[in-house]
Amino acid sequence: MSAIRYEHIKTCKQSGARLGRVHTPHGTFETPMFMPVGTLATVKTMSPEDLHRMDAQIILSNTYHLWLRPGHEIIREAGGLHKFMNWDRPILTDSGGFQVFSLSNLRKITEEGVEFRNHLNGAKLFLKPEGAMEIQNALGSDIMMAFDECPPFQAEHDYMKKSVERTSRWAERCLEAHARPQDQGLFGIVQGGEYEDLRKQSARDLVSLDFPGYAIGGLSVGEPKDVMNRALEFTTPLLPFDKPRYLMGVGSPDSLIDGAIRGIDMFDCVLPTRIARNGTCMTSNGRLVVRNAKYARDFGPLDENCDCHVCQNYSRAYIRHLIKCEETFGFRLTTYHNLHFLLNLMVDVRQAIMEDRLLDFKEEFFEQYGFNKA
Ligand SMILES: Nc1ccc2nc(N)nc(O)c2c1
Ligand SMILES: [Zn+2]
């Protein structure tokens, strides 16, 4: 019996999107859903109390980063990541492969694993599937990711084919090295870029290994949105209906809605927290750069349609002032609102699926947010 179980609730008659629940050892989350990113064991500037208040149901953290700092042994001795960061709901950890490729310029990929330089001090490091599993087992995350290679999107077909085949072999090694399958679910990561034949091969390899869930990797790496959507259209149907499907690194409002329509259950992205720290907010009427001078005397809320405590208690003028003065409290306010905005968007998406009207919802949301503007 796997530690992770997908429960299907219903399929939207209008869009084909699906409403579900994922059961984990640290609780259940509803899908489609968005995961705030807590790379270094904290969702930057947010406390666990803030995350509970906005009803974040699961957060993401990073094998690579926690391996470097503070080191997974310290977190193991603390009783695992939940205890270490005082988070009692589910945690998903990425496996480190992607971070190695995106953070470290100097790297050598072999069958064994990846040799690269520590992005903090330049020291030589080596990470392989067994190591990624050792670290994630020490962290005790509820959902772990297999160690994969995320090639550049424009990689040639023959490179991508070799990479997919190696990622499938690495996935098998991760399963063999997994010390705690009874209480940690390991997801395989489908690769293959925009090549339909390679996505099919990757999905076939991983589905034959019977993972409790599947991630779709190798997307949201700079490709145009219509290319990502097309890749989803021929990849998602290859995955088992009764397992969670996680689209990695996706988090703009339009991509979340379009991903849900194409059968995705889980999303994560640093976007809302990253843009918050430079004073950009997501609102029901589109993006708002609160540091702009035009908000200096604007005493209204970030978003008049938002019911979060930031929008109930603080004005654009005040938040602009804090951001301009680099006050940490300003970043807390924009971060809280942006995360609440995306979590709330997913509440609305789930409601629209329940009412068989997700395409209508998409139309209304895109219109108001301004996605339809040429
Ligand atoms: N866009 C992304 C984001 C995170 C990823 N993590 C892994 N392990 N693999 C990928 O392909 C990713 C892609
Ligand atoms: Zn708000």
Side-chain angles (χ1 to χ4, degrees):
M1 168 73 173
S2 160
I4 301 296
R5 185 171 60 82
Y6 175 74
E7 179 191 352
H8 179 64
I9 297 173
K10 78 160 283 186
T11 299
C12 174
K13 291 190 179 69
Q14 188 183 61
S15 66
R18 58 195 218 155
L19 191 65
R21 279 192 204 98
V22 177
H23 300 273
T24 84
H26 278 88
T28 297
F29 55 86
E30 296 166 295
T31 59
M33 64 79 187
F34 176 80
M35 287 180 275
V37 173
T39 297
L40 283 163
T42 168
V43 177
K44 287 184 174 39
T45 76
M46 293 289 98
S47 69
E49 292 74 18
D50 292 324
L51 295 169
H52 271 274
R53 184 175 186 180
M54 65 176 75
D55 198 21
Q57 299 180 26
I58 173 173
I59 61 163
L60 177 142
S61 201
N62 256 298
T63 296
Y64 167 76
H65 292 282
L66 294 174
W67 176 40
L68 265 50
R69 293 181 296 180
H72 60 292
E73 288 308 338
I74 287 177
I75 297 176
R76 189 204 310 270
E77 285 160 38
L81 190 51
H82 289 87
K83 195 108 177 44
F84 189 57
M85 66 184 289
N86 185 33
W87 176 251
D88 58 358
R89 291 181 172 178
I91 295 176
L92 179 148
T93 45
D94 196 355
S95 53
F98 182 74
Q99 287 70 39
V100 164
F101 295 107
S102 56
L103 281 174
S104 182
N105 44 17
L106 212 113
R107 59 183 179 272
K108 204 164 110 231
I109 310 174
T110 63
E111 183 63 28
E112 189 56 9
V114 187
E115 186 183 291
F116 59 99
R117 291 215 182 265
N118 178 328
H119 74 289
L120 300 168
N121 60 17
K124 255 194 185 160
L125 289 170
F126 184 74
L127 191 56
K128 63 180 185 178
E130 290 78 12
M133 294 307 291
E134 153 80 11
I135 296 164
Q136 294 181 91
N137 281 147
L139 300 178
S141 46
D142 301 280
I143 300 178
M144 307 159 60
M145 289 295 131
F147 188 70
D148 64 328
E149 180 192 0
C150 173
F153 196 75
Q154 58 282 13
E156 294 295 312
H157 187 276
D158 59 351
Y159 179 85
M160 192 68 86
K161 182 167 171 54
K162 286 193 183 63
S163 170
V164 159
E165 288 161 353
R166 182 172 48 217
T167 285
S168 295
R169 291 191 295 273
W170 282 356
E172 200 154 8
R173 283 170 53 186
C174 285
L175 275 174
E176 281 150 24
H178 190 354
R180 297 167 46 192
Q182 70 290 353
D183 59 5
Q184 285 177 283
L186 176 62
F187 282 19
I189 304 179
V190 177
Q191 292 289 350
E194 62 177 313
Y195 303 107
E196 187 165 0
D197 61 324
L198 298 183
R199 287 280 174 188
K200 274 202 172 85
Q201 180 178 347
S202 179
R204 192 178 44 246
D205 291 351
L206 298 177
V207 171
S208 70
L209 293 170
D210 194 22
F211 283 97
Y214 295 88
I216 298 178
L219 294 175
S220 191
V221 287
E223 75 283 0
K225 289 197 178 180
D226 61 317
V227 172
M228 175 164 77
N229 285 333
R230 195 168 53 81
L232 288 181
E233 281 153 18
F234 59 66
T235 304
T236 312
L238 304 168
L239 301 175
F241 186 84
D242 63 342
K243 302 279 177 74
R245 299 143 174 193
Y246 163 31
L247 176 56
M248 306 185 89
V250 170
S252 58
D254 54 333
S255 298
L256 292 176
I257 296 172
D258 280 333
I261 289 170
R262 289 162 178 82
I264 299 296
D265 306 308
M266 300 164 62
F267 302 88
D268 88 275
C269 192
V270 293
L271 184 73
T273 39
R274 184 167 293 169
I275 63 172
R277 292 195 297 281
N278 66 35
T280 300
C281 299
M282 297 171 170
T283 80
S284 48
N285 299 309
R287 278 196 179 192
L288 180 141
V289 183
V290 74
R291 64 167 51 239
N292 283 355
K294 66 180 174 185
Y295 300 116
R297 288 179 168 75
D298 182 336
F299 302 108
L302 287 174
D303 183 349
E304 65 274 2
N305 300 314
C306 180
D307 62 357
C308 85
H309 82 276
V310 174
C311 293
Q312 304 306 312
N313 296 291
Y314 303 96
S315 70
R316 291 171 176 176
Y318 175 61
I319 295 170
R320 175 181 180 273
H321 157 63
L322 295 180
I323 296 288
K324 297 281 284 181
C325 301
E326 304 276 311
E327 279 292 338
T328 306
F329 187 53
F331 301 135
R332 270 181 52 74
L333 294 174
T334 52
T335 299
Y336 187 101
H337 166 79
N338 280 359
L339 287 174
H340 177 278
F341 181 85
L342 282 191
L343 292 170
N344 215 39
L345 170 60
M346 300 319 278
V347 171
D348 293 344
V349 163
R350 295 195 293 267
Q351 187 58 35
I353 293 172
M354 187 56 96
E355 297 167 1
D356 294 314
R357 57 180 301 277
L358 187 55
L359 295 181
D360 294 342
F361 174 78
K362 169 179 170 175
E363 202 50 47
E364 293 149 19
F365 184 88
F366 275 39
E367 189 57 37
Q368 186 170 358
Y369 198 91
F371 282 121
N372 294 337
K373 280 187 201 117

